[in-house]
Amino acid sequence: MTRLVPRLALLVAGLLAVLTAFANPPLTVSGAHFMRDGKPYQIIAGDIHFQRVPRAYWADRLRKARAMGLNTVTTYVFWNAVEPTPGQFDFSGNNDVAAFVKAAQAEGLNVILRPGPYVCGEWDAGGFPAWLFAEPGMRVRTRDPRFLAAADRYLQRLGKELAPLLASRGGPIVATELENEYGSYSDDKAYLGQIRDMLKRSGLADDLLLTYDGPDLLANGTLPDVTAVIDFAPGEAKKSFETLARFRPDAPRMAGEYWAGWFDAWGGKHADTDTRQQADELAWMLSRGDSVNVYMVHGGTSFGFMNGANFQGNPSDHYTPQTTSYDYDAALDEAGRPTPKYLRFREVIAKATGQALPPVPASPPLRSLPAFTLDESASLWDNLPAPHASEQPRSMEAYGQSYGYILYRTTVHGPFHGTLYLGDVRDYAAVYLDRDARGTVDRRLKQVSMPIDVGSGDHTLDILVENTGRVNYGPHLDDGRAGLVEPVMLGTDVLTGWQVYPLPMDTPRTLRGWTTAPVAGPAFHRGHVAIDTPADTFLDTRAFGKGALWLNDVNLGRIWSIGPQHDLYAPGPWFHRGRNDVVMFDLDTRDKPVVRGVDHRLWSDPAKQP
């Protein structure tokens, strides 16, 4: 009898697995239809990037997606967040993708997985880890053996987390994306085949595999045995599906990304898109039986230094970093509140499906906070780490750094009156002579140099460079180096003998030299606010110039007075009952700045924007 127990246990486990898979059958393709359980299946989906949403709010956002009428949620996995250093993986906390997938299943949602290795997503380097760019000549998204080895290691490790959650194994993952919009980048089918093989070895391609591309780039970005879906903007549905039908006449029709909103860039306007147009087009697609994925149903936040940048590379284009807010003018706003767009989409989906939808859940409370002063300051100059000696300045990655700021210091000899050349600075440089601010060089404005006057004798030249966000889309994706990447010249002289100070600004806990006296130049400013009941708020950043803000040691994101974002989303779960610490870094001199929490957004006035 005792010998039979293990066998019985295995038999029961096997039966349970079969029953679970039967209850949640995988998607297949039959001609022009997705099929499930022998019947045509219409995917009605929306993107939520789990790493952009506080874990405590995953269930809230998923429940609201289901209440809008979605049957599927789509999510990226940002490689750089789960493998911050080579071979060291972190699937804890907000990176716990398996927990997110299980939470989606608990809400009755399928999942479409978009693991990359490249994802775009207005995220730093499109999700590529910064350490890739420390490799001289590394070419991402190619058959460079170094890149392929790193991508394979990542995908195999991700498979351990998620392969057991495919629909064929009883989980909610009904499809996996192969690469992402590869047709916009290149057309190397051998490369696509190698990524597909990696996904197969990981177990993530055992069910349905998809490619996403613009309609005119389908031939570049997919493979004959992979289902192709299309990405397009409002107003383009009819012609986009016609293009897909010509490319694959007898294949499912799906909008992989229907861009029902748009992202914001520093110095631009906050996106305000046409809800009526989007709702009408969504209704048209659903009435035809097309499958649709709304990008985004909830945008969330690119917390910390994780925003990306666009740079197409043509002569009329320029480097354009995105804001911390990824509100996206989405159906659920950055704080997860239903917008008029959400309610309109919900009406459209309910009418198209004929189903009674779940009630819309109540949103977490959003509160104001009284003004409080950041009355302590610590100079950046007093908080420099041990330097690296370099004959020439090198990129941030060459010193083992991924994000934040980096300071380059050398001695210059005067007198001199002329030009300081920094080259293709990555991405924003503040220049100081003997700690006196002399000017800035902004990649966004195509600046490579600045005028400078140097008096007689020796002087300390400091160049403080901010990585404002690596390019996530366009040909400049290839070179993700940050900091200074060219020789620095004073007039015609190449400057040498540098001391380089990496400043990743991972945490403000190690800062020293706090004082209540005024501090000139780049500095950290600290204050405290007492909370009786933690709740969401938007921290008003209008008192600051350019920098970043930490709440209880969590980097909420960037600040830049050029807008359009003049606040930072502060989630309630990240506050403490009682004392809360707020630390701000600012490049400009500030004397006891004031912060407050508000219950509404502080976008720039559109009438005053370029």
Side-chain angles (χ1 to χ4, degrees):
M1 181 67 180
T2 54
R3 293 181 180 180
L4 291 175
V5 171
R7 295 178 183 177
L8 286 171
L10 287 172
L11 179 61
V12 170
L15 287 171
L16 285 174
V18 170
L19 290 172
T20 303
F22 181 76
N24 192 35
L27 283 183
T28 59
V29 171
S30 178
H33 298 286
F34 293 112
M35 303 292 290
R36 192 168 208 181
D37 203 19
K39 302 174 184 177
Y41 190 83
Q42 186 177 32
I43 299 170
I44 307 176
D47 263 273
I48 299 176
H49 302 156
F50 69 99
Q51 288 156 304
R52 280 184 158 126
V53 181
R55 180 170 180 160
Y57 285 155
W58 287 349
D60 172 79
R61 308 309 194 248
L62 291 166
R63 198 164 294 135
K64 286 171 179 167
R66 186 72 187 91
M68 196 177 88
L70 304 186
N71 57 30
T72 305
V73 66
T74 301
T75 193
Y76 285 138
V77 181
F78 298 126
W79 177 9
N80 58 356
V82 300
E83 192 181 5
T85 57
Q88 301 297 314
F89 290 91
D90 178 11
F91 286 100
S92 65
N94 241 66
N95 288 331
D96 192 345
V97 61
F100 177 80
V101 169
K102 292 172 184 176
Q105 185 174 29
E107 299 300 333
L109 291 162
N110 309 313
V111 174
I112 295 176
L113 178 68
R114 308 182 71 182
Y118 166 78
V119 297
C120 188
E122 291 71 61
W123 190 265
D124 188 90
F128 287 139
W131 44 261
L132 286 173
F133 304 108
E135 292 276 355
M138 167 73 78
R139 296 192 62 209
V140 298
R141 304 187 85 182
T142 72
R143 284 179 279 161
D144 183 323
R146 298 169 298 176
F147 173 72
L148 292 176
D152 190 45
R153 180 179 64 213
Y154 155 65
L155 290 173
Q156 301 317 308
R157 180 62 183 83
L158 184 65
K160 293 180 180 179
E161 298 290 319
L162 295 179
L165 296 175
L166 264 61
S168 58
R169 301 183 180 98
I173 300 174
V174 295
T176 300
E177 184 188 17
L178 167 61
E179 243 272 0
N180 179 56
E181 296 180 336
Y182 182 69
S184 300
Y185 184 80
S186 188
D187 60 356
D188 184 351
K189 300 305 175 64
Y191 165 75
L192 276 181
Q194 287 177 300
I195 300 298
R196 178 189 56 191
D197 292 344
M198 293 178 195
L199 289 170
K200 286 182 175 180
R201 288 195 301 275
S202 74
L204 295 174
D206 288 355
D207 289 2
L208 187 62
L209 202 59
L210 305 174
T211 55
Y212 292 52
D213 283 291
D216 296 330
L217 298 165
L218 283 164
N220 290 353
T222 193
L223 295 172
D225 58 346
V226 176
T227 301
V229 302
I230 48 176
D231 301 347
F232 54 86
E236 299 178 356
K238 186 175 185 296
K239 67 176 183 180
S240 296
F241 279 116
E242 288 173 350
T243 302
L244 176 61
R246 286 193 297 271
F247 179 73
R248 293 230 177 123
D250 190 30
R253 302 186 305 268
M254 179 174 174
E257 288 185 10
Y258 178 63
W259 301 324
W262 203 243
F263 54 85
D264 295 339
W266 288 114
K269 297 179 180 179
H270 171 55
D272 183 13
T273 61
D274 190 337
T275 294
R276 182 173 181 177
Q277 178 197 37
Q278 295 161 17
D280 289 348
E281 199 162 40
L282 176 62
W284 179 82
M285 289 186 282
L286 294 178
S287 70
R288 287 167 24 100
D290 300 335
S291 290
V292 180
N293 179 63
V294 175
Y295 189 99
M296 304 283 302
V297 67
H298 173 54
T301 310
S302 301
F303 293 110
F305 297 129
M306 287 300 176
N307 65 281
N310 275 19
F311 196 175
Q312 298 287 4
N314 58 62
S316 62
D317 193 30
H318 61 93
Y319 168 79
T320 309
Q322 290 112 22
T323 59
T324 290
S325 172
Y326 201 61
D327 178 86
Y328 208 82
D329 191 34
L332 294 172
D333 72 8
E334 188 175 359
R337 297 171 297 178
T339 66
K341 180 179 293 187
Y342 175 94
L343 299 175
R344 186 72 188 96
F345 284 7
R346 175 177 153 89
E347 292 173 2
V348 166
I349 295 169
K351 182 177 180 181
T353 61
Q355 296 177 357
L357 300 181
V360 179
S363 294
L366 190 65
R367 63 171 295 174
S368 298
L369 294 176
F372 58 98
T373 303
L374 307 189
D375 52 9
E376 298 177 279
S377 298
S379 172
L380 177 71
W381 309 123
D382 296 336
N383 282 278
L384 299 179
H388 298 267
S390 292
E391 186 66 10
Q392 293 286 349
R394 302 165 67 198
S395 72
M396 180 180 284
E397 300 77 18
Y399 303 102
Q401 182 183 352
S402 295
Y403 310 102
Y405 292 72
I406 187 166
L407 179 70
Y408 301 87
R409 173 176 288 174
T410 192
T411 300
V412 295
H413 312 283
F416 174 82
H417 173 74
T419 299
L420 176 68
Y421 174 81
L422 303 185
D424 184 18
V425 65
R426 310 286 180 82
D427 302 293
Y428 184 94
V431 177
Y432 305 86
L433 195 65
D434 299 326
R435 299 192 180 183
D436 179 47
R438 293 301 181 93
T440 60
V441 176
D442 187 349
R443 185 186 188 191
R444 186 179 58 92
L445 303 178
K446 300 184 178 181
Q447 296 170 343
V448 296
S449 63
M450 55 168 278
I452 193 168
D453 289 325
V454 180
S456 299
D458 291 347
H459 301 271
T460 299
L461 175 69
D462 284 309
I463 304 173
L464 178 59
V465 182
E466 178 197 52
N467 167 8
T468 313
R470 291 180 180 84
V471 173
N472 64 265
Y473 185 81
H476 292 273
L477 175 74
D478 282 345
D479 184 359
R481 293 175 299 163
L484 295 180
V485 297
E486 296 182 33
V488 176
M489 300 177 67
L490 192 64
T492 59
D493 295 334
V494 175
L495 299 180
T496 58
W498 294 86
Q499 297 291 305
V500 183
Y501 303 83
L503 299 165
M505 297 191 184
D506 294 325
T507 173
R509 285 179 297 178
T510 57
L511 295 172
R512 57 189 182 274
W514 292 102
T515 177
T516 56
V519 172
F524 300 87
H525 308 279
R526 182 172 67 184
H528 317 287
V529 59
I531 302 290
D532 51 358
T533 303
D536 292 359
T537 193
F538 293 99
L539 293 178
D540 182 350
T541 61
R542 290 175 294 182
F544 300 90
K546 183 166 180 55
L549 183 148
W550 291 260
L551 169 66
N552 294 326
D553 207 35
V554 177
N555 188 339
L556 296 187
R558 302 183 194 273
I559 292 158
W560 202 350
S561 59
I562 63 173
Q565 179 180 2
H566 298 283
D567 56 25
L568 283 169
Y569 173 55
W574 295 356
F575 281 97
H576 306 316
R577 190 180 300 275
R579 171 173 158 155
N580 293 268
D581 298 330
V582 173
V583 175
M584 174 78 70
F585 174 70
D586 200 325
L587 290 173
D588 302 324
T589 299
R590 304 289 169 199
D591 184 18
K592 294 182 172 51
V594 173
V595 178
R596 61 179 54 81
V598 296
D599 59 3
H600 56 277
R601 297 312 304 257
L602 298 174
W603 305 117
S604 297
D605 181 351
K608 297 179 181 178
Q609 291 293 290

